[in-house]
Amino acid sequence: MGAAESFFNIEGPVFQEEKRLLGNEIHIWRYTRSVHLNPEEFFPFLSVGEIRKAVSFEYEFDREDYVIGRVLLRRLISQYSAKPPLEIQLLSTRSGKPYVDPVEYRFNFSCAQSGSEQVFVFSQADYIGVDLEFIDQDIDWLSLASLHFSASEMTALMRLSDDKRIASFYKLWTTKEAYMKALSKESMLSSKSFSVHTRGGSTAVLDPKNFGNARKFRFFHPTEIKGYSCTIATTSLSQGLKIFTIG
């Protein structure tokens, strides 16, 4: 068995039995790139469109992360559906986010990648999105925030002390991205069209165009991936997360 086949047919405790989502559970799968893999070895496990996108990447690590991410996604969907990975058809939203036919599959998922980390989140909730970002302490957060944050978010960020701004910037950024991903099958939101508010440890979204849906959202900020900011946006009533590590 070659490297690609071995990776695709991952063995280990978390893959030894079919996974089930019970009630309002949210499952998070984490993968850390620790060795270099040849993306072309995995092309037989991808669709024509995915191969076309893979070869379009300029940098090898970007190509590898995309290919491995798609292979793992099919493997994980297979865990919840008992359907062979190669028979799983991945659809795409207008923004390019993958999803599956909701009539055929009774769950939703979202995935994100940054640096050497990838996360995949599964839930039976109608809406779920995840974003993950490596925390760069030297980032030009002011320029990015000015382009993508609402006026109220900018005001809240500028009121913070210097030592709290970077962490708050990334928390806002990942929350907005996760929320937009969760709604990406229905609409393509502008990042400035809604505002994220945090108070007393809780997070809420003010979204005039999606007022009814926005009120149903809850946000989780798992801290298990050190050096990264991660947010999950969902309408699930889950009180907690189950985290699995791949590899």
Side-chain angles (χ1 to χ4, degrees):
M1 182 179 290
E5 289 85 351
S6 297
F7 188 88
F8 194 75
N9 295 287
I10 298 169
E11 296 179 356
V14 296
F15 281 110
Q16 287 178 354
E17 60 182 23
E18 178 184 342
K19 286 290 183 292
R20 294 183 181 276
L21 287 162
L22 302 177
N24 294 313
E25 285 185 347
I26 297 174
H27 291 182
I28 307 176
W29 296 79
R30 173 188 177 185
Y31 170 72
T32 303
R33 177 184 4 98
S34 57
V35 296
H36 176 65
L37 297 167
N38 181 6
E40 293 184 5
E41 289 189 36
F42 296 84
F43 283 3
F45 306 115
L46 303 180
S47 68
V48 173
E50 289 169 334
I51 294 173
R52 188 179 297 117
K53 182 172 181 178
V55 299
S56 71
F57 286 102
E58 180 178 358
Y59 298 106
E60 185 73 10
F61 274 126
D62 292 335
R63 184 179 303 115
E64 179 182 336
D65 287 335
Y66 171 77
V67 170
I68 298 305
R70 284 306 173 103
V71 170
L72 281 174
L73 180 56
R74 281 199 171 86
R75 185 67 180 85
L76 291 170
I77 293 172
S78 177
Q79 285 290 112
Y80 292 99
S81 65
K83 191 169 184 176
L86 293 178
E87 294 182 13
I88 294 168
Q89 181 181 8
L90 292 175
L91 308 173
S92 294
T93 66
R94 285 179 293 171
S95 58
K97 306 304 178 187
Y99 71 99
V100 288
D101 185 346
V103 175
E104 187 174 0
Y105 299 87
R106 300 300 180 88
F107 54 82
N108 284 306
F109 64 84
S110 182
C111 44
Q113 183 271 328
S114 181
S116 60
E117 298 285 342
Q118 298 201 43
V119 290
F120 308 83
V121 181
F122 287 78
S123 172
Q124 293 186 43
D126 290 335
Y127 299 96
I128 190 153
V130 65
D131 190 48
L132 176 74
E133 298 292 340
F134 172 74
I135 298 175
D136 179 1
Q137 297 293 339
D138 298 321
I139 193 172
D140 183 2
W141 63 267
L142 182 57
S143 295
L144 287 170
S146 299
L147 287 172
H148 300 285
F149 287 5
S150 68
S152 62
E153 290 167 338
M154 286 296 298
T155 299
L157 201 59
M158 297 303 293
R159 285 176 178 170
L160 296 173
S161 58
D162 290 344
D163 62 317
K164 293 182 178 179
R165 281 205 187 110
I166 292 293
S168 296
F169 164 80
Y170 276 105
K171 187 174 183 179
L172 271 172
W173 183 281
T174 57
T175 300
K176 290 174 78 69
E177 284 290 323
Y179 177 70
M180 289 191 290
K181 283 184 178 181
L183 292 173
S184 63
K185 283 192 289 185
E186 298 180 359
S187 59
M188 291 183 66
L189 299 178
S190 163
S191 61
K192 285 191 172 185
S193 67
F194 64 95
S195 297
V196 174
H197 297 275
T198 58
R199 179 179 296 178
S202 63
T203 304
V205 165
L206 177 60
D207 183 356
K209 294 183 178 180
N210 296 280
F211 182 73
N213 276 337
R215 294 181 61 189
K216 300 175 184 177
F217 270 84
R218 303 174 69 224
F219 299 89
F220 296 88
H221 307 283
T223 58
E224 284 78 6
I225 307 178
K226 302 303 180 183
Y228 290 78
S229 178
C230 183
T231 297
I232 296 168
T234 181
T235 52
S236 169
L237 298 176
S238 175
Q239 297 301 313
L241 312 170
K242 285 189 175 183
I243 301 178
F244 304 97
T245 299
I246 301 171

